[in-house]
Structure formats: C-alpha cells, structure tokens
Amino acid sequence: MDDETTRIARQFIESIPHCKHLNIELVRVDHGLAELLLPHDDRLIGDPETGVIHGGAVFTLLDTCSGAAVASHPDASVNTATMDLRIDYMRAAAPGRPSLPMPSVTTSPATLPLCAPGPAMTTEASQWQPPPAPSP
Amino acid sequence: MTKRPPEPVQVVKQRRDAALQALAEGVPYIRFLGVSFDRRGDELTAILPYDDKLIGNPLLPALHGGVTAAFLEVTALIELGWSMIWDEVEASGEAPASPFRLPKTVDFTVDYLRSGLPRDAYARARVNRSGRRYASVHVEAWQDNRARLFAQATGHFLMPGPDG
C-alpha cells in the first residue's frame, strides 16, 4: 500500500484509546495483511515471577491486528467487528521483549446471514517475537 | 470429645478476603485493567469499572474486543485459582503461602455476542473440570442485564505441577 494509506491506517490504529494506552504501533499494512507492535511494559505483566506479559494484552494485540488486516482488505468495509476469537498459546512470551503479531485474511469474504449487511472474514494471526540480539 | 465453637463471622470473612486478595493483587495486568472481585461465600463476581482508556471503537463507542477477552481470561484464571485454594483456606484456617502459582492458559475462545457498552461490566466463571493436568473453565460477562450476556468464553488451562 502507498505511504499515504499506511499513514492513515497508522493514525487510525494509534487513535484507538485502548491501543494508545498499550502503546500499540502499526508497522505496516497491505491488502489483507497487517503488522503491529506491542512494546514491553511492566504494567502488562501477568506472571510476576517470570515477568511474562498477560494473555489479555496478547489478545488485544491479536484482535487489533486482525481487525486492521480485515479493514485493509480490498473487499472489506471500513467498519469491522470481531465475532469470535480463539487464541492458542504455543509458548510463553519472552519477558522484556516486544511482541509482533502477523495476521492475514485467509478466507475470501462471505456474507453472513445473521449479520446483514456486510461481509464476514476469517483471519489467522500468529504472534512472534524477534530473536534476541546476539551478545557481542 | 467437645465440639469446637463456630468461628466468629468476621474472622472467617477476613481470612477469605485476604486469600482472594493475595491471589489477584500480585498480577500487574489485573491492576492495569482495574478489575476487582466481589465475593459472596465462595462465589466470585469480577467487576470491570468503565474507563475511557478501555474503548476500542470511539465512534460507537464500544469496549475494545481485547479488553473484553482479557476481562474474561482474568475472571476464568482467578476463579480457577480460587477453587484450588478454597479447601486449603477452609481446612487450615489461613491463607496459602504466597506466591501462589496460577494455572497457565493453553487456549481461550471468546464469543462476542453484543458490543461492549461504555459502562461497568461483570463476569462470573464456572470450573467445569479441574483435574491434576488440566482444567476447563466457562465464563460469562454481562453489563446491565444478567441474562443479556455481551460475551462468553471457554478456556483450557494447564495446572501447575507439584513442584510448581
């Protein structure tokens, strides 16, 4: 997507009050793809012993990212709403490092009979963390 | 053998409230969201007081879906932890030694039934299975009317091992 579209998408994501509260940043967005970043924050810790962030914060990151991916899809309307969201924890988030989800729209839009008008989409997102920088 | 007199009600209440507080207060994210717990006997109701910072859609306005999911997951985890320590608290007459190890979430599935209004939200969880290895918990959240849920979820949790 061009810089102007990305700029508008960034402004939109970063103006969502709860995303602002979590300091979620938009890295890039592109026709059904979105990449967001959640910086580490001690207030988000869910397990004080390990310093791992709470699953609830991960939920917000994945939900926002999925929504951004849907909104950037050429067939989607600007307004999106989450109908259901399932999260599978593969491993604990490493403490002290930022988290990046990578959702993509995996099915083509289909009209949902219960919820007219507008298309329904399924997204699949995975969250990952950049590997730690090699020690000098 | 003489029967022990029942404990004064205030002593019992204080002990249970202290155990519940120890469970929830150690988690920074619960404070970050502003979730608190109302206890009636062993029944817990989680309360999420409304705050502008919880909004995900400023136009409607509506709570962020992530906030709703987080609120449900917090409620499920604390209910599960609470059910794990309840017998010990009642039997030993004191709160369990901290820090208490909470179970770990394996998966969590949320159904968004209605948009979350800019008001206080409430949630209650039910532990449907609690074994040595894993637990399955269902949780419901509502706002103005108990019968009109705005979200529900089911989660599976890995129980902490005997050595933690």
Side-chain angles (χ1 to χ4, degrees):
Chain A
M1 273 194 184
D2 56 71
D3 290 350
E4 179 62 10
T5 316
T6 306
R7 192 186 62 80
I8 292 169
R10 175 168 298 129
Q11 218 169 31
F12 180 74
I13 294 290
E14 293 171 11
S15 72
I16 296 172
H18 193 62
C19 296
K20 207 153 77 179
H21 194 52
L22 289 168
N23 296 312
I24 287 177
E25 298 162 28
L26 184 125
V27 180
R28 78 187 171 101
V29 62
D30 187 15
H31 297 102
L33 277 171
E35 193 177 334
L36 269 62
L37 182 140
L38 172 68
H40 177 80
D41 187 329
D42 283 348
R43 297 175 303 168
L44 306 181
I45 288 174
D47 185 344
E49 261 187 80
T50 58
V52 169
I53 65 164
H54 196 279
V58 177
F59 243 112
T60 301
L61 180 65
L62 292 175
D63 184 35
T64 309
C65 200
S66 296
V70 169
S72 76
H73 195 279
D75 297 341
S77 68
V78 179
N79 287 320
T80 68
T82 311
M83 308 214 50
D84 58 49
L85 185 61
R86 175 190 163 122
I87 189 165
D88 291 306
Y89 294 92
M90 308 305 191
R91 58 181 69 84
R97 300 222 307 272
S99 305
L100 297 107
M102 256 298 234
S104 58
V105 177
T106 52
T107 62
S108 53
T111 308
L112 199 69
L114 287 174
C115 175
M121 289 188 184
T122 305
T123 65
E124 202 167 82
S126 53
Q127 186 217 349
W128 63 284
Q129 290 182 310
S135 48
Chain B
M1 196 174 130
T2 54
K3 201 175 159 197
R4 276 200 311 176
E7 282 183 300
V9 65
Q10 274 314 321
V11 173
V12 177
K13 278 189 180 177
Q14 258 173 29
R15 180 174 68 232
R16 291 173 181 172
D17 288 339
L20 177 59
Q21 206 190 340
L23 205 58
E25 76 173 357
V27 183
Y29 186 72
I30 295 180
R31 283 199 302 272
F32 177 83
L33 278 184
V35 175
S36 62
F37 291 88
D38 183 43
R39 186 189 63 76
R40 296 282 179 263
D42 71 341
E43 183 193 61
L44 299 184
T45 307
I47 301 156
L48 176 69
Y50 175 71
D51 192 302
D52 289 342
K53 72 183 186 213
L54 304 178
I55 288 292
N57 183 334
L59 297 175
L60 286 175
L63 297 180
H64 197 293
V67 169
T68 301
F71 178 49
L72 291 166
E73 192 180 337
V74 163
T75 306
L77 264 171
I78 294 298
E79 177 68 44
L80 185 55
W82 178 241
S83 74
M84 287 158 65
I85 64 168
W86 173 264
D87 286 343
E88 189 186 333
V89 172
E90 293 306 294
S92 70
E94 53 193 79
S98 61
F100 174 76
R101 280 180 173 278
L102 281 170
K104 301 239 183 296
T105 313
V106 177
D107 61 65
F108 201 72
T109 308
V110 182
D111 276 331
Y112 297 95
L113 306 171
R114 294 179 174 82
S115 79
L117 302 170
R119 337 213 156 122
D120 293 359
Y122 314 97
R124 273 187 207 143
R126 183 181 68 233
V127 179
N128 284 329
R129 185 210 140 97
S130 178
R132 273 184 304 128
R133 292 282 298 152
Y134 94 99
S136 179
V137 183
H138 183 78
V139 49
E140 299 179 337
W142 71 98
Q143 292 187 302
D144 296 323
N145 304 107
R146 176 66 181 90
R148 281 173 65 85
L149 305 180
F150 78 102
Q152 63 180 355
T154 300
H156 297 105
F157 300 87
L158 190 66
M159 304 302 266
D163 54 354

